[in-house]
Amino acid sequence: VEAKGKEPPAKEKDKSYIFLNGWHLMNQLATKDLPTFLKKNINQTYHPLSSALQHANFYAHHSQSPILDIGFGLGYVAAAVIRQLKDSPIEIIAVEKKRQILKKISSINVPELEPEYSIIKAASKKANYDKNNIKIKLINQDARIAVKTISKKFSTIILDGFSPSQNPELYSLEFLSLLKERLKHSGVILCHSQNPIFRSALKEISFKIANLEQGTIASLTKDFQLEEKEAWFIFIPTLN
């Protein structure tokens, strides 16, 4: 899984533009499997061009409910989580700052993620969904503000912002400390980035970390046995 933020080659770009107050904000383009958007002012894509679906599954395969999804975007990760955890109750609180990307959800067709993506479309219309043991609450707000209003504790926190160079506030010691307060004692933080400054901040507030594919998994209680040459890990369970 690549980190967000890879600049697409010119041939990947098309002319599906979004404008707000006269400024060119983003254009739609294709990944290997699902559509995504290039955020023009920072020149980064919402998903890796190699595979948006693989990016979503990276998070889904290692998530347990309840889940805090920071950087909801087009909702691909949430859809993949619903598919992964379909046999158990699912609760997701999702945070996305940019309203314009949320508005694109209703017009996107992603048969690779159906029928789960239909649930995401329904949730995005009313910022809420509660049917068939699936609960989704969508908060359209800066994550630094939104997290302070949430009292629930989570088994999984997904940190899926743009790269640390463009979204440094989401990888800061201050924000990670807020996430720590919202994490269950035995929970994990998942992130696509292996940025050393981000990892150093996690360690400073007592997280144990390990490589997870091309990203990071962090826990307060779990010890990781990591095979350096392979993309896998083993949890050593604790009593908590």
Side-chain angles (χ1 to χ4, degrees), residues 97-156:
K97 181 179 179 181
K98 298 299 182 182
R99 185 179 299 274
Q100 59 266 37
I101 195 68
L102 295 175
K103 288 181 177 179
K104 299 304 293 180
I105 292 174
S106 61
S107 62
I108 289 178
N109 295 314
V110 284
E112 298 90 341
L113 278 175
E114 292 294 356
E116 293 81 9
Y117 202 65
S118 294
I119 296 172
I120 301 305
K121 288 186 174 185
S124 69
K125 288 180 180 179
K126 296 184 177 181
N128 232 312
Y129 184 92
D130 189 353
K131 293 181 182 178
N132 302 320
N133 274 333
I134 300 172
K135 294 182 179 181
I136 302 173
K137 180 180 180 181
L138 180 55
I139 303 172
N140 179 208
Q141 195 174 37
D142 187 311
R144 292 168 295 176
I145 299 171
V147 168
K148 292 178 181 179
T149 69
I150 299 170
S151 58
K152 190 175 186 67
K153 295 210 174 228
F154 300 89
S155 296
T156 307

Side-chain angles (χ1 to χ4, degrees), residues 164 171 193-204 209 216:
Y171 303 88
S193 177
Q194 293 187 357
N195 180 278
I197 297 176
F198 160 57
R199 287 185 159 197
S200 177
L202 286 170
K203 290 179 180 178
E204 188 170 340
I209 65 171
T216 297

Side-chain angles (χ1 to χ4, degrees), residues 222-238:
K222 291 179 169 63
D223 289 322
F224 299 101
Q225 289 182 349
L226 182 67
E227 173 60 51
E228 295 294 345
K229 296 182 180 179
E230 301 289 342
W232 67 280
F233 67 92
I234 299 174
F235 280 148
I236 302 176
T238 68

Side-chain angles (χ1 to χ4, degrees), residues 136-216:
I136 302 173
K137 180 180 180 181
L138 180 55
I139 303 172
N140 179 208
Q141 195 174 37
D142 187 311
R144 292 168 295 176
I145 299 171
V147 168
K148 292 178 181 179
T149 69
I150 299 170
S151 58
K152 190 175 186 67
K153 295 210 174 228
F154 300 89
S155 296
T156 307
I157 296 178
I158 293 170
L159 184 54
D160 194 26
F162 288 106
S163 69
S165 64
Q166 297 298 335
N167 253 172
E169 67 277 7
L170 296 188
Y171 303 88
S172 67
L173 182 63
E174 179 182 7
F175 185 68
L176 294 174
S177 297
L178 289 176
L179 295 186
K180 179 182 177 181
E181 293 174 5
R182 305 301 181 271
L183 189 67
K184 288 185 177 181
H185 192 55
S186 58
V188 297
I189 293 178
L190 303 174
C191 184
H192 57 79
S193 177
Q194 293 187 357
N195 180 278
I197 297 176
F198 160 57
R199 287 185 159 197
S200 177
L202 286 170
K203 290 179 180 178
E204 188 170 340
I205 51 176
S206 303
F207 277 98
K208 301 171 184 179
I209 65 171
N211 297 335
L212 183 59
E213 299 180 31
Q214 303 304 310
T216 297

Side-chain angles (χ1 to χ4, degrees), residues 30-34 48-52:
T31 72
K32 178 182 177 181
D33 35 47
L34 308 178
L49 295 179
S50 59
S51 175

